[in-house]
């Protein structure tokens, strides 16, 4: 797989994403459903934003690894939250995870009216290898 990041500017680097990702010679593509703070028994979390973000990241990582892919192969990440204001103080948690796996992904972050049950944040990814 050949992956190339496209950045006409540099300001996005502080926000831990790239403007576009071109991928050639792909062996496989994994389209992940939105992952949120749902426990192994299927119970949705009613905890705070930080806890839910950490669980959503762990769940996404689990799906990716179970499929035989690497987090470094994430090329697209969509983030949905019920409150950007509540999420923002915890955004460094996501940035640290992105840096740890050397992920270079296009990113869209949206504030939505609601998510399933008591959920506050959801991560949806496209991964290649």
């Amino acid at each position: 797989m050949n992956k190339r990041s496209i950045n006409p500017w540099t300001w996005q680097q502080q926000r831990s994403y790239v403007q576009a990702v071109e991928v050639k010679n792909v062996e496989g593509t994994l389209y992940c459903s939105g992952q949120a703070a749902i426990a192994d028994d299927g119970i949705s979390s009613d905890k705070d934003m930080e806890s839910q973000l950490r669980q959503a990241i762990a769940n996404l990582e689990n799906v990716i690894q179970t499929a035989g892919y690497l987090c470094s192969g994430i090329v697209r990440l969509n983030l949905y939250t019920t409150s950007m204001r509540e999420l923002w103080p915890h955004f460094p948690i996501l940035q640290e995870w992105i840096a740890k796996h050397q992920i270079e992904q296009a990113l869209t972050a949206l504030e939505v009216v609601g998510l399933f049950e008591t959920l506050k944040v959801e991560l949806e990814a496209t991964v290649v290898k």
Side-chain angles (χ1 to χ4, degrees):
M1 168 194 56
N2 298 328
K3 188 166 83 167
R4 178 176 72 114
S5 298
I6 295 93
N7 287 308
W9 312 281
T10 58
W11 54 261
Q12 71 280 330
Q13 293 168 353
Q14 293 179 320
R15 296 176 180 159
S16 301
Y17 73 96
V18 299
Q19 295 297 330
V21 179
E22 177 185 48
V23 184
K24 295 180 180 180
N25 305 318
V26 174
E27 180 183 322
T29 303
L30 180 69
Y31 299 94
C32 300
S33 292
Q35 298 300 308
I38 299 176
D40 291 347
D41 61 5
I43 304 295
S44 296
S45 174
D46 60 358
K47 295 181 181 174
D48 64 15
M49 181 66 80
E50 178 182 359
S51 173
Q52 288 202 22
L53 178 60
R54 289 184 188 280
Q55 184 65 57
I57 290 169
N59 288 350
L60 179 59
E61 192 166 335
N62 189 12
V63 168
I64 291 167
Q65 291 175 348
T66 299
Y69 285 70
L70 300 173
C71 292
S72 60
I74 294 173
V75 294
R76 179 85 176 139
L77 185 64
N78 295 330
L79 182 150
Y80 306 95
T81 182
T82 56
S83 173
M84 278 297 182
R85 189 175 58 170
E86 192 178 345
L87 174 69
W88 192 244
H90 308 294
F91 198 72
I93 294 167
L94 183 64
Q95 290 180 298
E96 289 166 12
W97 178 74
I98 288 168
K100 173 185 165 186
H101 292 285
Q102 299 178 323
I103 302 168
E104 292 185 356
Q105 82 295 339
L107 173 72
T108 298
L110 296 171
E111 184 173 286
V112 296
V113 173
L115 292 169
F116 185 69
E117 297 180 336
T118 55
L119 299 172
K120 299 176 182 232
V121 63
E122 189 168 318
L123 301 171
E124 176 185 64
T126 302
V127 191
V128 296
K129 66 176 172 178

